[in-house]
Amino acid sequence: MRKNLSLLLCFIVGVNSIYAQVNHAEHEITGYVYERDAKGKLQPLPGAHVFCPKEQKGSVTDIRGAFNVHVHNSFPHPVIASFVGYESDTITLKKAKPLQFILEPSVLDEVELIDRQKSSAKSLLQTTNLEWISGAELQKAACCNLSESFETNPSVDVSFTDAITGAKQIQMLGLDGVYTQILSENMPLLRGLSASYGLNYLPGSWIESIQVAKGTGSVVNGFESLSGQINVELYKPSTADKLFWNTYVNSSGMIENNFIISTPVKNDWKTALLGHYSYQGQSIDQNDDGFADDPEMTRLTLLNRWEYTGFKNRRIAFGVRYLNENRISGQLSPVVSEGDEFITPYEVIMDTEQAEFHSKTGFIFDKPGTSLGILTSLRYHNQETVFGNSLYSGMQHSLYLNSIFQSNFGDDSKTYKLGLSYYADNYKESLDNIKLIRNDQTLGAFGELSYKSGERFSSILGIRADHSKLWGMWYSPRLHLRFNPIETMVLRGSVGKAHRQANILAENISYFFSSRTLEMGTYENLDAEIAWNYGFNFTYNFSLLNKETTFNFDLYQTDFQNQVVVDVEQSEKIKIYNLDGESYSTSLQIDATIEPAEGWELKIAQKWNETKTTYGAEGNNTVSYMPFVSKYRSLAQVSYSAWQNKWDVNVTLQNIGPSRVPTQGTTEETLVEGFWSPNFNLLSGQFTRRFKKFDWYIGVENALNFRQKNPIRSIESPFSDDFDAAMIWGPVMGRRVYSGIRMTFND
């Protein structure tokens, strides 16, 4: 039977080998919604609803009045823009180009303009459990980079990595961020050696919107996505302002500048240049332990994007990105012994360089809903880290190709996608005397069928078959279901299988900031990670006190068939081996968004995680909670926007529950048995004042000034057997005040 199935699969792959991937950009309807002020000048209209009845899809405009709707069918598309108190307007879009709506008040003698901006939303018509986060939501906090973009979002948790680098990571569904597939416009963003620190490389000011999908994602985007999928949309030449500038400074001495410049070029070309530079001239030691809590840092990032729209049924887009970052941390001054003998300080120096070329080419055929696209990415990544007497070096060269052919059976109620993907990865890593070289090629074929039955039911069934040069054949089936009992209520279910190739050194580098010795095999002795994910979602929109209210319930379970276990249960060792037993994560989240009065928004959320893994091998196994995963988290956010959105204020309070901390120390005097960290609160807030050409904002992070006490063990002897800077469960930096200006020019 298995032989017959394999032959059938090979036949399907052969028949469909000519098909390729839908270009994401070519299936976007973008534009702006405006109103006229008392002087007749156009002003953005945030919170307006833009709807495409042909596909029953919509979007909400952001603070700039911009919208972005993803569609599958070919043009023409009727597009409707509406807003409370205004006359709706309809434009029939015959080809891909930005739209401009100018809405007129429906009552001319007296009109009260009230902003009802939606900075994040969940569609009741999406088959997958997808949350859309707009640029307006990102502007509620400092959001210097992608890792900080989720400070006000309950679905994604921001965690702390170590007491040395100042970097942040994310967790989703109770699992580390490496199990979440992170994409940039449906192409890999964080993959390979950039998995640990790559979230810090993408500036928040470049981000137009983020889509967060829980559970396994679409087979179109790859074999990964064990716990979820995050897709980041950056500003494009067709959607960016002519000139945008953001200047930011904080109380630690960090200075950051971001800019975006877009302009049309002759012969239907458009281009945009996105830039970022951040600088912190000195390391900060807030707790006076002699080690830097916030390191000295310099980062430069540039992205140049191009689009060509001269062809009637073809779209071309490509871009080049470059990053260079340097961090200096560790002991701030040398230690002098009693005999005035100079002792070398424990220094940490991280140098990272990254370059990438990516492209999208799409074709639209005469048959409605039929298109073809090809996505490519070529990446170079080099990282060198010196810590104490050790050196880590990692280099990556990667090639990514993905293609999809999309069409339908008769009408748009039954749509299918077929395609091929190819990953080529070359890794060279070394840690002191350990050298790892890995060359892998993974070829995959996939198919996905989407079905809609009216407005009440839809489903997506997909399957992938991938062959890895190192790990053999993988099969990844996935199913998503949606049912709307009533118009304002949705039930969703999903199940899927995913695979992942672990990079054991780069993904665990924070553990090496210690005296622990590493015990591991080679890549050939480690199997790929495999997991099933099961999920259920319930969302209900209703009216409370005549105001829109959303209630959401999520329950997800991730079961590992195989996992690369990082074992730090013994205080003097780091062991890495394959799972021998059970490993799972259960995540339950309840959240609600309420509008108690005009201009006010209240968001509350509660999450519970149970994440357990089997530690030990060869029969000596114990099942324990995974370290540094909070058992529960709470979030409460209050936002207020003044009339016509001239100013707003946002306050976010998070309660972080206890997480398990492994045993530390090597002797009877220094040994600290494993324990559960205390729960603690993080309070942040921001005030924004908007003027005609610029916004001024001022805010505070960790306003309660909570810090983990004694985050580094044996600070007086960093080269001893008791030194450990990786057992971090809370913030190392305390209260931080920041301010900045955002300027926009479109004249």
Side-chain angles (χ1 to χ4, degrees):
M1 181 65 179
R2 294 180 60 184
K3 181 178 180 180
N4 293 335
L5 290 175
S6 299
L7 291 174
L8 178 60
L9 178 62
C10 292
F11 174 75
I12 295 174
V13 171
V15 170
N16 298 298
S17 60
I18 61 171
Y19 295 144
Q21 166 157 306
V22 174
N23 184 337
H24 181 72
E26 76 191 22
H27 296 292
E28 294 175 341
I29 296 178
T30 62
Y32 296 85
V33 180
Y34 297 101
E35 62 169 330
R36 294 191 183 275
D37 60 16
K39 297 181 180 180
K41 295 184 178 180
L42 295 181
Q43 299 292 339
L45 191 58
H49 185 240
V50 180
F51 186 68
C52 297
K54 188 175 180 179
E55 295 203 8
Q56 296 294 304
K57 291 185 178 181
S59 175
V60 178
T61 57
D62 62 17
I63 194 172
R64 303 177 300 114
F67 64 86
N68 189 318
V69 182
H70 303 284
V71 297
H72 298 295
N73 292 309
S74 59
F75 295 97
H77 272 283
V79 185
I80 304 171
S82 61
F83 191 78
V84 176
Y86 290 77
E87 295 287 351
S88 299
D89 190 13
T90 302
I91 297 177
T92 299
L93 186 62
K94 296 183 178 180
K95 64 178 182 178
K97 66 177 183 179
L99 292 174
Q100 177 175 295
F101 290 94
I102 303 175
L103 301 187
E104 300 292 337
S106 56
V107 181
L108 299 180
D109 53 351
E110 182 179 356
V111 179
E112 182 181 9
L113 302 180
I114 300 174
D115 176 43
R116 299 183 60 210
Q117 175 179 319
K118 290 293 184 182
S119 55
S120 62
K122 280 192 173 184
S123 171
L124 298 180
L125 301 177
Q126 286 279 352
T127 307
T128 56
N129 184 12
L130 183 69
E131 181 178 6
W132 174 77
I133 303 173
S134 72
E137 178 73 15
L138 303 181
Q139 293 178 3
K140 289 183 178 180
C143 190
C144 294
N145 54 62
L146 182 58
S147 70
E148 299 175 342
S149 300
F150 306 103
E151 298 279 4
T152 61
N153 184 277
S155 297
V156 182
D157 304 325
V158 180
S159 61
F160 313 95
T161 58
D162 54 70
I164 296 291
T165 63
K168 295 180 180 180
Q169 292 182 340
I170 64 169
Q171 295 176 354
M172 192 168 174
L173 301 186
L175 292 170
D176 190 270
V178 297
Y179 295 109
T180 301
Q181 186 181 28
I182 301 180
L183 309 169
S184 175
E185 298 173 1
N186 288 333
M187 289 190 290
L189 177 63
L190 268 64
R191 191 172 182 274
L193 304 188
S194 63
S196 291
Y197 299 103
L199 287 170
N200 302 276
Y201 300 155
L202 189 64
S205 296
W206 291 8
I207 301 174
E208 186 175 35
S209 66
I210 301 175
Q211 295 87 46
V212 179
K214 292 185 177 181
T216 53
S218 170
V219 295
V220 171
N221 296 318
F223 49 81
E224 298 168 321
S225 182
L226 279 72
S227 63
Q229 188 178 87
I230 296 175
N231 183 54
V232 182
E233 293 287 332
L234 305 181
Y235 284 104
K236 307 169 184 61
S238 58
T239 61
D241 295 302
K242 289 185 177 179
L243 174 61
F244 169 83
W245 188 281
N246 176 34
T247 297
Y248 164 97
V249 62
N250 66 28
S251 55
S252 298
M254 167 73 77
I255 300 174
E256 180 177 305
N257 286 281
N258 300 279
F259 70 85
I260 303 176
I261 303 173
S262 68
T263 181
V265 186
K266 292 182 178 180
N267 301 323
D268 298 307
W269 283 96
K270 294 181 180 179
T271 186
L273 179 64
L274 293 77
H276 165 90
Y277 179 75
S278 53
Y279 173 76
Q280 182 158 314
Q282 61 180 0
S283 299
I284 305 298
D285 180 16
Q286 279 196 341
N287 57 6
D288 298 322
D289 64 358
F291 273 77
D293 301 319
D294 199 8
E296 178 182 341
M297 190 269 292
T298 303
R299 183 191 301 130
L300 171 67
T301 312
L302 295 171
L303 170 62
N304 187 209
R305 311 194 69 180
W306 290 81
E307 290 181 354
Y308 182 73
T309 58
F311 298 116
K312 180 180 179 181
N313 295 320
R314 196 187 323 168
R315 187 73 173 270
I316 299 173
F318 63 88
V320 180
R321 180 173 62 89
Y322 174 78
L323 172 135
N324 187 284
E325 182 189 76
N326 174 261
R327 292 175 183 253
I328 302 176
S329 187
Q331 277 185 298
L332 299 182
S333 60
V335 179
V336 179
S337 68
E338 294 181 358
D340 293 333
E341 180 184 355
F342 178 80
I343 300 176
T344 303
Y346 188 96
E347 292 184 324
V348 177
I349 302 174
M350 297 183 66
D351 291 320
T352 305
E353 186 176 39
Q354 193 177 94
E356 180 185 79
F357 171 82
H358 59 266
S359 69
K360 294 183 177 182
T361 305
F363 305 87
I364 301 175
F365 300 105
D366 293 335
K367 180 183 177 181
T370 304
S371 57
L372 171 71
I374 301 173
L375 282 70
T376 66
S377 173
L378 184 64
R379 175 176 296 186
Y380 162 79
H381 179 97
N382 185 49
Q383 178 181 330
E384 291 189 356
T385 303
V386 178
F387 48 98
N389 294 327
S390 299
L391 170 65
Y392 167 80
S393 177
M395 182 179 293
Q396 172 186 351
H397 295 87
S398 292
L399 171 65
Y400 167 77
L401 302 172
N402 199 11
S403 57
I404 283 186
F405 175 82
Q406 173 178 301
S407 189
N408 53 52
F409 297 104
D411 55 40
D412 59 1
S413 66
K414 296 178 287 295
T415 303
Y416 65 90
K417 300 176 183 179
L418 298 166
L420 298 171
S421 65
Y422 176 72
Y423 299 83
D425 299 301
N426 176 264
Y427 299 101
K428 294 181 180 179
E429 295 180 275
S430 64
L431 176 62
D432 295 334
N433 60 343
I434 300 174
K435 297 186 183 298
L436 298 176
I437 298 177
R438 174 175 138 213
N439 295 286
D440 189 29
Q441 300 179 52
T442 305
L443 178 64
F446 52 86
E448 186 176 82
L449 175 64
S450 301
Y451 172 71
K452 292 191 301 182
S453 178
E455 300 298 325
R456 294 293 182 92
F457 177 80
S458 64
S459 64
I460 300 176
L461 173 63
I463 185 169
R464 286 189 63 96
D466 294 273
H467 182 268
S468 166
K469 179 181 177 181
L470 295 181
W471 286 285
M473 201 72 184
W474 299 330
Y475 297 97
S476 306
R478 299 175 188 179
L479 175 66
H480 296 265
L481 302 172
R482 174 191 66 90
F483 175 64
N484 292 75
I486 58 176
E487 184 178 355
T488 58
M489 181 186 297
V490 65
L491 301 172
R492 296 185 179 94
S494 65
V495 59
K497 188 179 183 182
H499 304 75
R500 198 182 80 88
Q501 304 154 322
N503 296 280
I504 52 182
L505 294 184
E507 294 169 3
N508 300 288
I509 194 170
S510 61
Y511 284 130
F512 302 142
F513 301 140
S514 67
S515 59
R516 297 171 183 259
T517 58
L518 176 62
E519 292 185 4
M520 53 167 273
T522 62
Y523 279 114
E524 289 76 11
N525 296 330
L526 292 174
D527 296 328
E529 297 186 290
I530 306 173
W532 282 89
N533 184 281
Y534 313 89
F536 171 78
N537 163 252
F538 169 78
T539 303
Y540 181 39
N541 292 346
F542 59 96
S543 178
L544 180 65
L545 301 176
N546 294 321
K547 298 295 180 181
E548 183 178 346
T549 302
T550 300
F551 173 81
N552 185 75
F553 174 93
D554 290 330
L555 177 61
Y556 283 84
Q557 172 91 12
T558 306
D559 290 328
F560 283 90
Q561 287 187 348
N562 185 59
Q563 187 178 24
V564 175
V565 178
V566 181
D567 185 344
V568 291
E569 300 306 301
Q570 299 182 43
S571 59
E572 73 279 8
K573 296 180 180 180
I574 307 171
K575 293 184 176 182
I576 299 177
Y577 49 80
N578 279 125
L579 177 70
D580 183 15
E582 66 173 347
S583 179
Y584 68 89
S585 177
T586 305
S587 181
L588 170 64
Q589 177 179 317
I590 299 175
D591 60 89
T593 302
I594 307 168
E595 298 180 4
E598 295 293 349
W600 289 89
E601 183 181 81
L602 173 63
K603 182 188 296 182
I604 54 176
Q606 179 68 46
K607 179 189 295 183
W608 296 270
N609 295 318
E610 183 177 270
T611 305
K612 290 187 175 182
T613 301
T614 302
Y615 293 99
E618 300 177 357
N620 187 20
N621 299 345
T622 57
V623 179
S624 300
Y625 283 91
M626 186 174 290
F628 311 117
V629 177
S630 299
K631 295 190 70 173
Y632 60 81
R633 284 177 175 253
S634 307
L635 180 143
Q637 182 188 90
V638 179
S639 304
Y640 176 72
S641 295
W643 181 72
Q644 288 191 312
N645 202 35
K646 289 185 177 181
W647 62 270
D648 62 52
V649 61
N650 304 278
V651 179
T652 303
L653 175 65
Q654 297 183 70
N655 179 258
I656 314 298
S659 60
R660 191 176 69 85
V661 182
T663 299
Q664 306 171 51
T666 59
T667 65
E668 292 184 3
E669 294 78 13
T670 62
L671 184 66
V672 176
E673 296 290 345
F675 63 94
W676 286 87
S677 66
N679 68 319
F680 59 91
N681 295 316
L682 295 177
L683 178 66
S684 62
Q686 180 177 287
F687 171 82
T688 304
R689 177 67 169 92
R690 294 184 173 84
F691 300 90
K692 185 176 180 180
K693 291 292 185 181
F694 69 93
D695 300 343
W696 170 71
Y697 58 93
I698 183 170
V700 59
E701 297 175 289
N702 196 5
L704 302 178
N705 202 34
F706 178 83
R707 289 177 291 176
Q708 178 179 337
K709 294 181 180 180
N710 304 318
I712 302 178
R713 289 187 55 80
S714 189
I715 57 174
E716 69 283 351
S717 303
F719 296 96
S720 70
D721 292 339
D722 288 315
F723 177 74
D724 200 332
M727 301 293 104
I728 301 301
W729 47 265
V732 176
M733 282 292 295
R735 184 183 301 112
R736 180 153 44 192
V737 179
Y738 64 88
S739 183
I741 294 176
R742 290 186 291 262
M743 295 179 288
T744 303
F745 301 93
N746 281 310
D747 295 338

